[in-house]
Amino acid sequence: MPHISLPEHLPGITGLLEYSQETAKPIRDLTQLLLRGDNTLSQGERELIATIVSHRNGCVFCTNAHTAATDLLLGETETCEIMKQDIDQMPVSDKMKALLKIASLVQISGKAVTPAAVELAKSFGATDAEIHDTVLIAALFCLYNRYVDGMATFTPDPQSGFYQQLGERIVNHGYQRLPQGYDHLKKS
């Protein structure tokens, strides 16, 4: 049960973003820029960063939501599941593996990111901008994960279909608030 009164039909971050649209706007703007803006990392690669950080933080809502979005963007479901077990076994570039390892270090602590981890990513072709964005996306999702879990938001059952619907919303509309908010998630 959430620690504060939230819209009952809006689990996880969706209820928090509707609860305080004033504080939600800058967070949404940053998320939209980082995950949907122009970037040398694909949208799917950036969603992988959100997914690994959420998974390692144990945030069930965010892990399921971003796994669904990543799976849709990649057109398959195996990569996220492999990543959650062993980044080195993923069917992605060595550069992406190195960036995901940096994101995983950020999840532990910003100070856990080592020069060696950064140099490894650079040796595989990661640019300064890609390293910057990886760290910032990882830090942003630490914020989201702690916000969602710190407010004890409701987490739907993964089999309910909610995450697939939310993943489609993320992929098709990004992170900005739709004019109707989340009315489409209300049960009839």
Side-chain angles (χ1 to χ4, degrees):
M1 182 163 168
H3 295 309
I4 62 174
S5 180
L6 297 170
E8 291 182 20
H9 69 287
L10 298 178
I13 196 65
T14 60
L16 294 169
L17 294 174
E18 284 297 288
Y19 174 80
S20 178
Q21 292 179 33
E22 183 179 22
T23 57
K25 184 169 180 357
I27 298 169
R28 285 180 183 278
D29 289 345
L30 180 58
T31 308
Q32 182 70 19
L33 176 67
L34 289 172
L35 275 74
R36 292 296 175 270
D38 290 336
N39 201 297
T40 54
L41 297 175
S42 73
Q43 291 181 14
E45 289 171 329
R46 288 175 277 164
E47 287 288 347
L48 282 169
I49 296 166
T51 303
I52 193 64
V53 170
S54 298
H55 173 70
R56 295 212 171 163
N57 276 327
C59 183
V60 174
F61 180 88
C62 295
T63 300
N64 287 327
H66 294 283
T67 296
T70 304
D71 289 352
L72 288 167
L73 288 164
L74 298 180
E76 47 90 356
T77 60
E78 293 80 26
T79 299
C80 278
E81 294 313 310
I82 294 168
M83 174 181 67
K84 293 171 189 175
Q85 302 304 312
D86 184 356
I87 290 172
D88 286 323
Q89 299 305 312
M90 294 175 65
V92 298
S93 69
D94 288 333
K95 175 179 84 170
M96 194 64 219
K97 290 175 187 176
L99 291 172
L100 289 165
K101 289 176 183 178
I102 289 173
S104 297
L105 292 170
V106 172
Q107 178 271 324
I108 296 167
S109 166
K111 293 182 179 183
V113 179
T114 63
V118 171
E119 286 308 313
L120 180 64
K122 286 183 176 184
S123 76
F124 290 124
T127 65
D128 286 350
E130 290 169 337
I131 293 165
H132 171 273
D133 289 355
T134 296
V135 170
L136 188 51
I137 292 166
L140 178 62
F141 276 86
C142 285
L143 176 148
Y144 273 125
N145 301 156
R146 285 158 178 78
Y147 189 29
V148 166
D149 288 343
M151 295 303 291
T153 62
F154 173 69
T155 301
D157 183 303
Q159 305 307 315
S160 69
F162 176 84
Y163 296 107
Q164 181 66 26
Q165 188 177 16
L166 184 58
E168 289 170 4
R169 185 228 181 269
I170 290 169
V171 169
N172 295 325
H173 301 287
Y175 290 92
Q176 295 299 348
R177 186 177 189 276
L178 297 174
Q180 75 275 18
Y182 290 95
D183 289 346
H184 62 291
L185 295 178
K186 287 183 181 176
K187 296 187 187 333
S188 309

mmCIF file of all heavy atoms in Angstrom, residues 148-171:
data_model
loop_
_atom_site.group_PDB
_atom_site.id
_atom_site.type_symbol
_atom_site.label_atom_id
_atom_site.label_comp_id
_atom_site.label_asym_id
_atom_site.label_seq_id
_atom_site.Cartn_x
_atom_site.Cartn_y
_atom_site.Cartn_z
ATOM 1 N N VAL A 148 9.961 5.189 -6.694
ATOM 2 C CA VAL A 148 8.887 4.191 -6.794
ATOM 3 C C VAL A 148 8.844 3.308 -5.551
ATOM 4 O O VAL A 148 7.782 3.118 -4.946
ATOM 5 C CB VAL A 148 9.064 3.337 -8.073
ATOM 6 C CG1 VAL A 148 8.195 2.094 -8.044
ATOM 7 C CG2 VAL A 148 8.770 4.175 -9.307
ATOM 8 N N ASP A 149 9.980 2.767 -5.158
ATOM 9 C CA ASP A 149 9.997 1.859 -4.013
ATOM 10 C C ASP A 149 9.911 2.603 -2.682
ATOM 11 O O ASP A 149 9.309 2.106 -1.726
ATOM 12 C CB ASP A 149 11.243 0.974 -4.058
ATOM 13 C CG ASP A 149 11.162 -0.078 -5.152
ATOM 14 O OD1 ASP A 149 10.053 -0.349 -5.662
ATOM 15 O OD2 ASP A 149 12.226 -0.625 -5.514
ATOM 16 N N GLY A 150 10.489 3.803 -2.621
ATOM 17 C CA GLY A 150 10.434 4.591 -1.396
ATOM 18 C C GLY A 150 9.032 5.056 -1.039
ATOM 19 O O GLY A 150 8.722 5.288 0.132
ATOM 20 N N MET A 151 8.170 5.172 -2.044
ATOM 21 C CA MET A 151 6.778 5.545 -1.806
ATOM 22 C C MET A 151 5.868 4.316 -1.734
ATOM 23 O O MET A 151 4.661 4.442 -1.583
ATOM 24 C CB MET A 151 6.281 6.505 -2.896
ATOM 25 C CG MET A 151 6.999 7.851 -2.903
ATOM 26 S SD MET A 151 6.910 8.743 -1.327
ATOM 27 C CE MET A 151 5.192 9.172 -1.290
ATOM 28 N N ALA A 152 6.468 3.139 -1.832
ATOM 29 C CA ALA A 152 5.727 1.866 -1.719
ATOM 30 C C ALA A 152 4.555 1.809 -2.696
ATOM 31 O O ALA A 152 3.449 1.393 -2.352
ATOM 32 C CB ALA A 152 5.256 1.622 -0.281
ATOM 33 N N THR A 153 4.821 2.201 -3.935
ATOM 34 C CA THR A 153 3.756 2.201 -4.939
ATOM 35 C C THR A 153 3.310 0.777 -5.254
ATOM 36 O O THR A 153 4.050 -0.183 -5.058
ATOM 37 C CB THR A 153 4.219 2.897 -6.232
ATOM 38 O OG1 THR A 153 5.316 2.181 -6.783
ATOM 39 C CG2 THR A 153 4.616 4.340 -5.979
ATOM 40 N N PHE A 154 2.122 0.670 -5.770
ATOM 41 C CA PHE A 154 1.563 -0.626 -6.157
ATOM 42 C C PHE A 154 2.322 -1.168 -7.370
ATOM 43 O O PHE A 154 2.615 -0.435 -8.316
ATOM 44 C CB PHE A 154 0.079 -0.479 -6.483
ATOM 45 C CG PHE A 154 -0.527 -1.729 -7.050
ATOM 46 C CD1 PHE A 154 -0.695 -2.860 -6.262
ATOM 47 C CD2 PHE A 154 -0.904 -1.788 -8.381
ATOM 48 C CE1 PHE A 154 -1.239 -4.024 -6.796
ATOM 49 C CE2 PHE A 154 -1.451 -2.946 -8.918
ATOM 50 C CZ PHE A 154 -1.618 -4.057 -8.118
ATOM 51 N N THR A 155 2.620 -2.459 -7.345
ATOM 52 C CA THR A 155 3.301 -3.133 -8.439
ATOM 53 C C THR A 155 2.383 -4.201 -9.018
ATOM 54 O O THR A 155 2.080 -5.181 -8.333
ATOM 55 C CB THR A 155 4.612 -3.789 -7.945
ATOM 56 O OG1 THR A 155 5.446 -2.777 -7.387
ATOM 57 C CG2 THR A 155 5.346 -4.484 -9.061
ATOM 58 N N PRO A 156 1.935 -4.029 -10.278
ATOM 59 C CA PRO A 156 1.053 -5.032 -10.880
ATOM 60 C C PRO A 156 1.759 -6.370 -11.088
ATOM 61 O O PRO A 156 2.992 -6.435 -11.209
ATOM 62 C CB PRO A 156 0.699 -4.431 -12.249
ATOM 63 C CG PRO A 156 1.050 -3.003 -12.169
ATOM 64 C CD PRO A 156 2.157 -2.897 -11.163
ATOM 65 N N ASP A 157 0.963 -7.406 -11.171
ATOM 66 C CA ASP A 157 1.471 -8.729 -11.498
ATOM 67 C C ASP A 157 2.066 -8.681 -12.910
ATOM 68 O O ASP A 157 1.432 -8.147 -13.823
ATOM 69 C CB ASP A 157 0.318 -9.732 -11.444
ATOM 70 C CG ASP A 157 0.772 -11.152 -11.714
ATOM 71 O OD1 ASP A 157 1.362 -11.404 -12.785
ATOM 72 O OD2 ASP A 157 0.515 -12.011 -10.861
ATOM 73 N N PRO A 158 3.259 -9.243 -13.110
ATOM 74 C CA PRO A 158 3.868 -9.231 -14.446
ATOM 75 C C PRO A 158 3.014 -9.906 -15.519
ATOM 76 O O PRO A 158 3.139 -9.592 -16.696
ATOM 77 C CB PRO A 158 5.182 -9.986 -14.253
ATOM 78 C CG PRO A 158 5.486 -9.869 -12.811
ATOM 79 C CD PRO A 158 4.149 -9.819 -12.113
ATOM 80 N N GLN A 159 2.137 -10.802 -15.132
ATOM 81 C CA GLN A 159 1.295 -11.512 -16.095
ATOM 82 C C GLN A 159 0.004 -10.753 -16.426
ATOM 83 O O GLN A 159 -0.800 -11.209 -17.230
ATOM 84 C CB GLN A 159 0.940 -12.904 -15.555
ATOM 85 C CG GLN A 159 2.144 -13.755 -15.177
ATOM 86 C CD GLN A 159 3.173 -13.880 -16.274
ATOM 87 O OE1 GLN A 159 2.829 -14.102 -17.429
ATOM 88 N NE2 GLN A 159 4.440 -13.737 -15.933
ATOM 89 N N SER A 160 -0.204 -9.600 -15.805
ATOM 90 C CA SER A 160 -1.470 -8.872 -15.958
ATOM 91 C C SER A 160 -1.636 -8.188 -17.309
ATOM 92 O O SER A 160 -2.733 -7.777 -17.655
ATOM 93 C CB SER A 160 -1.582 -7.808 -14.864
ATOM 94 O OG SER A 160 -0.623 -6.764 -15.093
ATOM 95 N N GLY A 161 -0.553 -8.036 -18.061
ATOM 96 C CA GLY A 161 -0.614 -7.310 -19.325
ATOM 97 C C GLY A 161 -0.329 -5.828 -19.168
ATOM 98 O O GLY A 161 -0.166 -5.104 -20.151
ATOM 99 N N PHE A 162 -0.267 -5.340 -17.928
ATOM 100 C CA PHE A 162 -0.022 -3.917 -17.688
ATOM 101 C C PHE A 162 1.311 -3.465 -18.276
ATOM 102 O O PHE A 162 1.392 -2.420 -18.924
ATOM 103 C CB PHE A 162 -0.063 -3.606 -16.184
ATOM 104 C CG PHE A 162 0.288 -2.171 -15.890
ATOM 105 C CD1 PHE A 162 -0.675 -1.178 -15.968
ATOM 106 C CD2 PHE A 162 1.592 -1.813 -15.563
ATOM 107 C CE1 PHE A 162 -0.343 0.152 -15.723
ATOM 108 C CE2 PHE A 162 1.925 -0.490 -15.325
ATOM 109 C CZ PHE A 162 0.954 0.500 -15.403
ATOM 110 N N TYR A 163 2.365 -4.238 -18.057
ATOM 111 C CA TYR A 163 3.695 -3.807 -18.489
ATOM 112 C C TYR A 163 3.823 -3.788 -20.004
ATOM 113 O O TYR A 163 4.499 -2.920 -20.557
ATOM 114 C CB TYR A 163 4.783 -4.670 -17.848
ATOM 115 C CG TYR A 163 4.799 -4.522 -16.350
ATOM 116 C CD1 TYR A 163 4.331 -5.536 -15.528
ATOM 117 C CD2 TYR A 163 5.249 -3.347 -15.759
ATOM 118 C CE1 TYR A 163 4.325 -5.393 -14.150
ATOM 119 C CE2 TYR A 163 5.253 -3.196 -14.382
ATOM 120 C CZ TYR A 163 4.791 -4.217 -13.587
ATOM 121 O OH TYR A 163 4.774 -4.067 -12.222
ATOM 122 N N GLN A 164 3.181 -4.719 -20.665
ATOM 123 C CA GLN A 164 3.180 -4.703 -22.132
ATOM 124 C C GLN A 164 2.521 -3.426 -22.631
ATOM 125 O O GLN A 164 3.029 -2.760 -23.536
ATOM 126 C CB GLN A 164 2.460 -5.936 -22.689
ATOM 127 C CG GLN A 164 2.442 -6.010 -24.204
ATOM 128 C CD GLN A 164 3.818 -6.197 -24.825
ATOM 129 O OE1 GLN A 164 4.732 -6.727 -24.215
ATOM 130 N NE2 GLN A 164 3.979 -5.738 -26.062
ATOM 131 N N GLN A 165 1.410 -3.063 -22.029
ATOM 132 C CA GLN A 165 0.693 -1.842 -22.406
ATOM 133 C C GLN A 165 1.547 -0.606 -22.104
ATOM 134 O O GLN A 165 1.633 0.314 -22.920
ATOM 135 C CB GLN A 165 -0.638 -1.780 -21.657
ATOM 136 C CG GLN A 165 -1.555 -0.673 -22.107
ATOM 137 C CD GLN A 165 -2.899 -0.711 -21.367
ATOM 138 O OE1 GLN A 165 -3.053 -1.351 -20.336
ATOM 139 N NE2 GLN A 165 -3.871 -0.008 -21.913
ATOM 140 N N LEU A 166 2.195 -0.594 -20.948
ATOM 141 C CA LEU A 166 3.048 0.541 -20.596
ATOM 142 C C LEU A 166 4.265 0.601 -21.513
ATOM 143 O O LEU A 166 4.670 1.680 -21.951
ATOM 144 C CB LEU A 166 3.478 0.461 -19.132
ATOM 145 C CG LEU A 166 4.301 1.639 -18.608
ATOM 146 C CD1 LEU A 166 3.543 2.962 -18.765
ATOM 147 C CD2 LEU A 166 4.668 1.399 -17.148
ATOM 148 N N GLY A 167 4.855 -0.556 -21.828
ATOM 149 C CA GLY A 167 5.984 -0.595 -22.758
ATOM 150 C C GLY A 167 5.613 -0.022 -24.115
ATOM 151 O O GLY A 167 6.382 0.736 -24.713
ATOM 152 N N GLU A 168 4.425 -0.368 -24.607
ATOM 153 C CA GLU A 168 3.946 0.178 -25.887
ATOM 154 C C GLU A 168 3.757 1.683 -25.806
ATOM 155 O O GLU A 168 4.099 2.415 -26.733
ATOM 156 C CB GLU A 168 2.643 -0.508 -26.291
ATOM 157 C CG GLU A 168 2.842 -1.949 -26.713
ATOM 158 C CD GLU A 168 1.546 -2.718 -26.891
ATOM 159 O OE1 GLU A 168 0.449 -2.124 -26.765
ATOM 160 O OE2 GLU A 168 1.633 -3.937 -27.147
ATOM 161 N N ARG A 169 3.257 2.174 -24.675
ATOM 162 C CA ARG A 169 3.086 3.611 -24.490
ATOM 163 C C ARG A 169 4.446 4.312 -24.516
ATOM 164 O O ARG A 169 4.618 5.340 -25.150
ATOM 165 C CB ARG A 169 2.356 3.893 -23.170
ATOM 166 C CG ARG A 169 2.047 5.372 -22.976
ATOM 167 C CD ARG A 169 2.459 5.808 -21.568
ATOM 168 N NE ARG A 169 2.165 7.191 -21.343
ATOM 169 C CZ ARG A 169 3.019 8.174 -21.587
ATOM 170 N NH1 ARG A 169 4.183 7.944 -22.108
ATOM 171 N NH2 ARG A 169 2.695 9.423 -21.336
ATOM 172 N N ILE A 170 5.435 3.735 -23.829
ATOM 173 C CA ILE A 170 6.777 4.313 -23.795
ATOM 174 C C ILE A 170 7.378 4.341 -25.199
ATOM 175 O O ILE A 170 7.917 5.351 -25.640
ATOM 176 C CB ILE A 170 7.683 3.527 -22.817
ATOM 177 C CG1 ILE A 170 7.243 3.764 -21.368
ATOM 178 C CG2 ILE A 170 9.147 3.896 -23.010
ATOM 179 C CD1 ILE A 170 7.899 2.819 -20.363
ATOM 180 N N VAL A 171 7.292 3.227 -25.909
ATOM 181 C CA VAL A 171 7.878 3.135 -27.252
ATOM 182 C C VAL A 171 7.176 4.085 -28.226
ATOM 183 O O VAL A 171 7.832 4.772 -29.012
ATOM 184 C CB VAL A 171 7.823 1.675 -27.768
ATOM 185 C CG1 VAL A 171 8.168 1.590 -29.249
ATOM 186 C CG2 VAL A 171 8.782 0.802 -26.946
#
